[in-house]
Amino acid sequence: MGLAAGANLNPERTYPSMFEPIHGSAPDIAGKGIANPLASIWSAAQMLEFLGLSKWADALIKAIETTVRGSILTTDMGGNATSAEVGDAVCQALLAASGK
């Protein structure tokens, strides 16, 4: 469930659409720093795509792909990193891809 992103879309765009990880807020592990943030980040990429910001959506997906190929992973993916460390790894992948 750590990688499952989801969206409830209003294709007519008359009402808001909602983007979230399938697992929701994971209240059973909230505040422990062990939740996998990648589904939330992927949901953000879905929102960017829906909003017509494909370049940014693609960059975010590539950053996720770079991160999962590395060693900074949460325990559900065989690593020992915290949620924040995985989020930081995605940010670093975005920065590296932008040349900064």
Side-chain angles (χ1 to χ4, degrees), residues 29-82:
I29 58 173
K32 296 180 181 179
I34 59 172
N36 187 334
L38 296 177
S40 296
I41 296 167
W42 195 342
S43 296
Q46 288 179 322
M47 180 179 66
L48 291 167
E49 182 71 36
F50 185 74
L51 295 173
L53 301 169
S54 298
K55 175 184 169 186
W56 294 103
D58 292 344
L60 202 46
I61 292 296
K62 287 179 182 156
I64 292 169
E65 290 171 348
T66 298
T67 301
V68 298
R69 288 187 187 111
S71 61
I72 301 173
L73 302 169
T74 48
T75 56
D76 62 311
M77 297 185 71
N80 59 4
T82 66

Side-chain angles (χ1 to χ4, degrees), residues 81-96:
T82 66
S83 307
E85 289 169 335
V86 173
D88 289 345
V90 173
C91 290
Q92 289 301 317
L94 279 170
L95 285 171

